[in-house]
């Protein structure tokens, strides 16, 4: 919103009385009466370039003061702070509270809107299939007018229980339909029983072709999991066995992305589980230029924070309460470091 007639403090470019009067008049016509510069020029019998110069001089002199009115429910200041504190490229805060289901639905809607506005073409996108939040997002995506994604590739194996497998397949299929992309599936379980079985499977030409696409990804869209598997993952049959969960817990794991588990600092937890995952490699994942993580809720706070600290994602879509928790944690951590120093 532009305001006229209030000068900013400090040195101002000198203007004669006539020039000042004309600059104010032009500013009011342009900002208050919403006239086009050509119409202003015609009415005042001056050239259009002179109108442009007068508007610029009016801004420099403080006659025009531009302010941005932030509507309720928009939290760009909080988003900017999280970006600065955690070194992220972008943060989207969805104004929602309440139950886990409320947060999931709102994150789905927020993610759909974000993807619709930022997928503009020539992208090869990787998607994690076992995420209820991503399913909610894809369900809310509207079809693009043209092809905005070249291919959408599954990031981790997805063969499992038929009912849940159908959801994972539909996630990729609906995303492809909404963006004009060609879907590429991983026709294998997400976790095999041994490293040798995984090695043999990844040598298969079909999976080798998928792995080649992982190296060409420009964007990934992932959920962030806590150590305890989600209901969707548990039902799929791709959840970790309890013995593996116990091993990872003892090693300090707090969360995962695509079955790659990390500790509270975001460091990859080295374990035999990594050698059995049919999916994108950790280093390969973290080299993708745009890495969008979608997660929220108090239960996932530790995992989300660790994913940010470890550089697993560089775009975060989360809820308002979690955004505030992330800021509070970072402020406390900075305070501790200051006292220690």
């Amino acid at each position: 919103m532009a305001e006229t007639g209030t000068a900013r403090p400090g040195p101002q470019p000198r203007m004669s009385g006539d020039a000042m009067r004309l600059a104010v008049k032009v500013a009011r016509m342009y900002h208050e009466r919403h006239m086009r510069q050509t119409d202003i020029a015609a009415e005042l019998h001056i050239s259009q370039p002179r109108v442009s110069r007068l508007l610029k001089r009016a801004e420099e002199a403080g006659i025009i003061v531009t302010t941005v009115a932030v509507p309720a429910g928009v939290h760009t200041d909080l988003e900017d702070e999280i970006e600065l504190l955690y070194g992220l490229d972008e943060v989207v805060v969805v104004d929602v509270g309440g139950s886990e289901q409320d947060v999931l639905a709102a994150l789905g809607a927020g993610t759909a809107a974000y993807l619709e506005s930022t997928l503009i073409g020539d992208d090869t996108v990787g998607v994690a299939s076992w995420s209820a939040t991503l399913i909610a997002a894809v369900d809310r995506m509207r079809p693009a007018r043209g092809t905005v994604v070249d291919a959408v590739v599954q990031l981790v194996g997805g063969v499992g229980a038929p009912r849940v497998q159908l959801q994972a397949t539909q996630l990729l299929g609906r995303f492809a339909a909404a963006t004009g992309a060609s879907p590429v599936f991983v026709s294998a379980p997400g976790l095999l029983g041994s490293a040798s079985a995984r090695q043999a499977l990844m040598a298969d030409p079909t999976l080798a072709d998928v792995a080649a696409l992982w190296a060409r990804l420009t964007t990934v869209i992932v959920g962030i999991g806590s150590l305890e598997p989600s209901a969707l993952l548990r039902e799929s049959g791709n959840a970790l066995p309890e013995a593996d969960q116990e091993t990872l817990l003892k090693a300090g794991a707090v969360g995962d992305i695509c079955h790659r588990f990390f500790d509270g600092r975001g460091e990859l937890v080295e374990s035999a589980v990594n050698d059995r995952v049919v999916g994108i490699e950790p280093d390969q994942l973290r080299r993708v230029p745009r890495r969008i993580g979608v997660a929220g809720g108090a239960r996932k706070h530790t995992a989300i924070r660790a994913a940010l600290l470890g550089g697993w994602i560089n775009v975060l879509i989360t809820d308002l309460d979690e955004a505030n928790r992330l800021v509070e944690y970072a402020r406390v951590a900075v305070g501790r470091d200051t006292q220690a120093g």
Side-chain angles (χ1 to χ4, degrees), residues 31 61 67 76 90 118 143 149 185 197 217 243-244 259 267 278 282 292:
H31 288 287
T67 62
T76 51
E90 192 166 6
T118 62
V149 171
F185 298 92
L217 295 173
D244 286 329
H259 274 342
E267 299 291 336
V278 179
I292 305 167

Side-chain angles (χ1 to χ4, degrees), residues 59-79:
E59 185 174 353
E60 291 171 347
I63 295 168
I64 299 172
V65 178
T66 303
T67 62
V68 177
V70 180
V74 176
H75 303 280
T76 51
D77 53 344
L78 186 57
E79 293 168 354

Side-chain angles (χ1 to χ4, degrees), residues 76-160:
T76 51
D77 53 344
L78 186 57
E79 293 168 354
D80 291 346
E81 186 170 9
I82 296 171
E83 289 167 11
L84 182 63
L85 289 169
Y86 290 91
L88 300 178
D89 291 343
E90 192 166 6
V91 174
V92 177
V93 174
V94 179
D95 190 6
V96 64
S99 70
E100 199 165 312
Q101 284 303 311
D102 292 335
V103 171
L104 185 148
L107 286 180
T111 302
Y114 174 78
L115 293 175
E116 287 169 6
S117 64
T118 62
L119 291 174
I120 56 175
D122 297 324
D123 267 311
T124 301
V125 178
V127 177
S129 53
W130 302 113
S131 169
T133 310
L134 297 188
I135 290 173
V138 170
D139 283 346
R140 290 162 173 80
M141 286 181 70
R142 297 170 298 182
R145 292 183 179 179
T147 299
V148 295
V149 171
D150 294 334
V152 54
V153 188
Q154 198 168 334
L155 291 175
V156 65
V159 172

Side-chain angles (χ1 to χ4, degrees), residues 292-307:
I292 305 167
V294 185
R299 182 174 65 86
K300 289 192 174 182
H301 168 65
T302 302
I304 294 169
R305 187 185 71 220

Side-chain angles (χ1 to χ4, degrees), residues 16 25 45-46 62 99 103 106 115 125 144 177 221 249 325 329 341:
S16 68
K25 191 174 186 68
H45 303 286
I46 59 177
S99 70
V103 171
L115 293 175
V125 178
I221 309 165
L249 181 64
R325 282 189 289 266
Y329 171 84

Side-chain angles (χ1 to χ4, degrees), residues 25 71 84 112 158 188 207 219 228 230 303 333 337:
K25 191 174 186 68
L84 182 63
L207 282 181
T219 299
E228 180 185 355
S230 67
D337 291 344

Side-chain angles (χ1 to χ4, degrees), residues 287-327:
R287 283 196 299 267
V288 176
R290 185 162 67 137
R291 306 180 300 281
I292 305 167
V294 185
R299 182 174 65 86
K300 289 192 174 182
H301 168 65
T302 302
I304 294 169
R305 187 185 71 220
L308 301 187
L309 294 174
W312 291 86
I313 62 173
N314 54 16
V315 176
L316 173 66
I317 303 175
T318 194
D319 64 280
L320 179 58
D321 289 343
E322 175 56 18
N324 283 314
R325 282 189 289 266
L326 289 169
V327 169

